[in-house]
């Protein structure tokens, strides 16, 4: 199977694996070859709800943004129906959107591809039916090896962690003398450099997530200087773990059952 075929099959499998009380949430999950939205909406409406259509939507043009030029995209169409007919289709659809987002956003597929949610919207609706659209980027990632601090993978081995290295900035004093043109500078060395870990903590269950969070908090409390390494083989000495922030509530992965927690973890390299 081709790379794009592997991607669409993997995404379809993830959506098919979404369950509620051990029962699949979606009655129908299909790949659809036509990128035209109207054709997709008509197709997904033909199936018993909840239904999902996985559509390869092409690659972003080079003139969109250099950062994601040539990156493939997927469109997911989600059909929801409120059987009671009391115009509450929105609540049913929003619940489906949350489940699909939890299953797909940030998920690794085809070994080294990561799904990134671009946006979502309602594309078709009446009193009892609605079709929602989610669009995803499929980016290739190399951060498959977890970063470490003092030799410990603080975020665990299953988490999605992006390492963002801050600017290297010199500290200096500038001064001048009356009657003398120009500026004189006295170099004082380098300022501390921030290094941020961002992403999503993932653990087998709540107990395992509690252990991960306790390990991170202990590193913040310790406030000692250690060496950090990342997936790219970069090493940063003299780092202090400064701040741990949970972003939003803890969630549950609808396919794997893992505990999920978006997070930001800030380090400061005292002597870059």
């Amino acid at each position: 199977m081709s790379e794009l075929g592997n991607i669409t099959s993997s995404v379809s499998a993830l959506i098919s694996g979404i369950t509620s009380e051990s029962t699949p949430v979606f009655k129908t999950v299909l790949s659809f070859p036509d990128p035209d939205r109207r054709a997709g909406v008509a197709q997904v409406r033909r199936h018993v709800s909840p239904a999902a259509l996985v559509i390869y939507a092409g690659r972003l043009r080079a003139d969109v943004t250099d950062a994601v030029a040539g990156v493939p995209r997927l469109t997911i169409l989600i059909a929801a129906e409120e059987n009671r007919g009391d115009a509450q289709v929105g609540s049913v659809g929003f619940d489906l959107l949350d489940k699909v987002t939890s299953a797909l956003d940030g998920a690794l597929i085809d070994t080294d591809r990561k799904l990134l949610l671009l946006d979502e919207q309602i594309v078709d609706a009446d009193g009892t039916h609605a079709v929602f659209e989610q669009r995803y980027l499929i980016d290739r990632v190399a951060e498959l090896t977890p970063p470490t601090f003092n030799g410990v993978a603080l975020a665990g081995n299953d988490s999605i962690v992006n390492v963002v290295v801050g600017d290297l900035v010199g500290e200096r004093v500038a001064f001048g003398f009356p009657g003398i043109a120009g500026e004189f500078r006295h170099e004082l060395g380098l300022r501390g450099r921030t290094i941020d870990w961002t992403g999503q903590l993932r653990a087998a269950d709540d107990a395992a997530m509690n252990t991960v969070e306790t390990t991170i908090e202990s590193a913040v409390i310790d406030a000692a200087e250690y060496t950090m390494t990342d997936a790219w083989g970069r090493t940063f000495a003299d780092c202090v773990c400064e701040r741990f922030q949970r972003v939003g509530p803890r969630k549950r992965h609808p396919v794997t059952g893992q505990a999920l927690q978006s997070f930001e973890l800030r380090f400061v390299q005292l002597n870059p």
Side-chain angles (χ1 to χ4, degrees), residues 11-17 26-31 50-54:
V11 172
S12 296
L14 282 173
I15 297 174
S16 297
F26 286 91
K27 297 183 182 300
T28 306
V29 180
L30 296 172
S31 296
L53 225 58
V54 180

Side-chain angles (χ1 to χ4, degrees), residues 153-184:
L154 289 182
N157 293 318
D158 297 328
S159 299
I160 298 171
V161 184
N162 302 303
V163 178
V164 181
V165 180
D167 296 337
L168 194 63
V169 180
E171 187 71 51
R172 55 186 59 89
V173 176
F175 56 93
F177 295 99
I180 300 178
E183 179 181 87
F184 297 87

Side-chain angles (χ1 to χ4, degrees), residues 98-138:
D98 285 343
K99 286 182 168 61
V100 173
T101 301
S102 295
L104 299 188
D105 192 26
L108 288 175
I109 58 173
D110 200 29
T111 306
D112 62 349
R113 294 282 191 169
K114 182 164 67 173
L115 297 173
L116 301 172
L117 179 64
L118 274 176
D119 54 32
E120 64 184 18
Q121 61 181 327
I122 298 176
V123 294
D124 185 67
D126 56 32
T128 57
H129 296 79
V131 178
F132 301 84
E133 177 189 63
Q134 289 189 335
R135 299 192 304 159
Y136 289 85
L137 285 179
I138 312 162

Side-chain angles (χ1 to χ4, degrees), residues 12 14-20 23-30 44 48-53 76-80 93 95-97 99-101 103:
S12 296
L14 282 173
I15 297 174
S16 297
I18 298 174
T19 61
S20 177
T23 301
V25 168
F26 286 91
K27 297 183 182 300
T28 306
V29 180
L30 296 172
V44 78
V48 177
S49 298
L53 225 58
I76 314 296
L77 294 179
I78 301 165
D95 181 61
L96 290 173
L97 287 177
K99 286 182 168 61
V100 173
T101 301

Side-chain angles (χ1 to χ4, degrees), residues 72-236:
R73 294 170 298 163
L74 281 184
T75 294
I76 314 296
L77 294 179
I78 301 165
E81 178 180 4
E82 176 51 61
N83 294 325
R84 295 191 304 271
D86 57 359
Q88 295 300 311
V89 66
S91 61
V92 175
F94 297 152
D95 181 61
L96 290 173
L97 287 177
D98 285 343
K99 286 182 168 61
V100 173
T101 301
S102 295
L104 299 188
D105 192 26
L108 288 175
I109 58 173
D110 200 29
T111 306
D112 62 349
R113 294 282 191 169
K114 182 164 67 173
L115 297 173
L116 301 172
L117 179 64
L118 274 176
D119 54 32
E120 64 184 18
Q121 61 181 327
I122 298 176
V123 294
D124 185 67
D126 56 32
T128 57
H129 296 79
V131 178
F132 301 84
E133 177 189 63
Q134 289 189 335
R135 299 192 304 159
Y136 289 85
L137 285 179
I138 312 162
D139 206 358
R140 192 180 298 278
V141 295
E143 300 96 326
L144 300 178
T145 302
T148 64
F149 181 64
N150 191 27
V152 177
L154 289 182
N157 293 318
D158 297 328
S159 299
I160 298 171
V161 184
N162 302 303
V163 178
V164 181
V165 180
D167 296 337
L168 194 63
V169 180
E171 187 71 51
R172 55 186 59 89
V173 176
F175 56 93
F177 295 99
I180 300 178
E183 179 181 87
F184 297 87
R185 290 187 174 185
H186 182 64
E187 299 294 333
L188 301 177
L190 295 173
R191 295 181 183 177
R193 172 168 57 184
T194 61
I195 303 175
D196 293 330
W197 292 8
T198 63
Q200 188 180 67
L201 300 176
R202 295 190 170 193
D205 51 32
D206 286 320
M209 178 63 77
N210 294 342
T211 299
V212 171
E213 291 181 340
T214 298
T215 300
I216 294 174
E217 291 175 342
S218 295
V220 177
I221 294 170
D222 185 9
E225 301 171 26
Y226 297 109
T227 297
M228 178 200 301
T229 60
D230 67 8
W232 306 96
R234 297 179 295 186
T235 301
F236 306 94

Side-chain angles (χ1 to χ4, degrees), residues 1-8 59 72 110 112-113 140:
M1 187 180 292
S2 67
E3 180 184 39
L4 292 176
N6 289 337
I7 289 171
T8 55
R59 300 178 188 271
D110 200 29
D112 62 349
R113 294 282 191 169
R140 192 180 298 278

